[in-house]
Amino acid sequence: QVQLQQWGARLLKPSETLSLTCAVYGGSLSGYYWNWIRQPPGKGLEWIGEINHGGSTNYNPSLKSRVTISIDTSKNQFSLKLNSVTAADTAVYYCARTICSGGSCYQIFNYWGQGTLVTVSS
Amino acid sequence: DIQMTQSPSTLSASVGDRVIITCRASQSISNWLAWYQQKPGKAPKLLIYKASSLESGVPSRFSGSGSGTEFTLTISSLQPDDFATYYCQQYNSYSVTFGGGTKVEIK
């Protein structure tokens, strides 16, 4: 059974860099896209971006200038960095895996991390 | 970006009720639509993909329909475990987007 476990700093000051890591247990990074999704308190979901085993990335255009997603295949982990954070970046951040079948991947998410609440406050 | 609009934003219902949630896309997304259920403090759970395909392990009282720009999620007989918030999500474009959510409350 695939499990995603995430961690990272939970309290940041404005202008700092958010950094989160997601470890994948019970499965390989290969053959899937690995995503970050966030949810401000009491609000809806926003897709941040994705990476595959080979390091190919796609980002939400609204966040692209501040986001970097990377992958470490030796540790079976992938990471999110979001720079120059403001209070608007306060949210629960989730890592998640896409569904892949028959050689095709679809940006729908059937495995999720537990979520990390990151608060940006001076 | 493709905008996804859900209605209603809140729905009050009783156990045993038939519940219908609507999701509208700002442009055609064919049938590239998924539905999720989220409970407080938990990650979303995938219920439906490709507009009407039931994810493995999801009870058959959940069903989805629609194509193009109009979609619905139906719960045929609401159960106590179904009180939650539901989100639609389009994956027609690589920059996926979610609806604003529909909270199903106890009447």
Side-chain angles (χ1 to χ4, degrees):
Chain A
Q1 177 75 343
V2 174
Q3 293 186 30
L4 280 62
Q5 186 172 347
Q6 56 183 103
W7 66 89
R10 294 172 179 265
L11 182 60
L12 297 174
K13 290 181 167 44
S15 80
E16 292 185 334
T17 296
L18 180 155
S19 182
L20 296 172
T21 297
C22 183
V24 179
Y25 299 101
S28 171
L29 293 177
S30 181
Y32 296 94
Y33 276 82
W34 302 92
N35 294 255
W36 290 96
I37 295 162
R38 70 180 183 178
Q39 184 172 36
K43 296 188 178 181
L45 298 155
E46 180 179 34
W47 178 75
I48 299 170
E50 65 180 2
I51 191 167
N52 70 2
H53 177 262
S56 177
T57 55
N58 290 306
Y59 298 129
N60 185 324
S62 69
L63 297 168
K64 188 174 183 178
S65 63
R66 298 194 292 132
V67 173
T68 302
I69 297 176
S70 59
I71 196 163
D72 185 338
T73 55
S74 67
K75 294 182 178 178
N76 232 38
Q77 297 173 358
F78 62 106
S79 297
L80 168 70
K81 290 191 185 300
L82 178 68
N83 59 36
S84 304
V85 297
T86 70
D89 295 310
T90 294
V92 176
Y93 287 75
Y94 294 100
C95 55
R97 195 192 83 173
T98 56
I99 286 181
C100 295
S101 175
S104 296
C105 291
Y106 305 91
Q107 283 178 294
I108 47 179
F109 315 107
N110 60 345
Y111 289 102
W112 295 69
Q114 78 276 20
T116 301
L117 174 60
V118 177
T119 302
V120 180
S121 174
S122 56
Chain B
D1 274 5
I2 299 175
Q3 307 302 315
M4 306 300 293
T5 303
Q6 284 183 238
S7 60
S9 55
T10 306
L11 185 159
S12 296
S14 301
V15 173
D17 284 353
R18 181 182 180 88
V19 167
I20 299 174
I21 298 169
T22 298
C23 179
R24 177 176 294 138
S26 60
Q27 64 188 72
S28 177
I29 58 170
S30 184
N31 59 355
W32 301 115
L33 185 101
W35 290 97
Y36 298 83
Q37 176 194 68
Q38 187 179 34
K39 296 183 178 179
K42 300 294 186 182
K45 173 188 174 183
L46 179 65
L47 300 175
I48 302 277
Y49 60 95
K50 211 170 181 183
S52 60
S53 296
L54 197 66
E55 172 70 347
S56 176
V58 174
S60 59
R61 62 180 180 273
F62 291 93
S63 64
S65 66
S67 66
T69 61
E70 297 279 340
F71 302 87
T72 59
L73 172 69
T74 300
I75 309 172
S76 60
S77 178
L78 197 67
Q79 298 302 300
D81 191 49
D82 301 338
F83 291 98
T85 300
Y86 294 84
Y87 292 95
C88 62
Q89 177 225 324
Q90 68 79 18
Y91 53 108
N92 180 71
S93 69
Y94 84 86
S95 184
V96 304
T97 48
F98 295 84
T102 295
K103 185 176 183 179
V104 177
E105 297 181 329
I106 300 172
K107 190 173 185 179

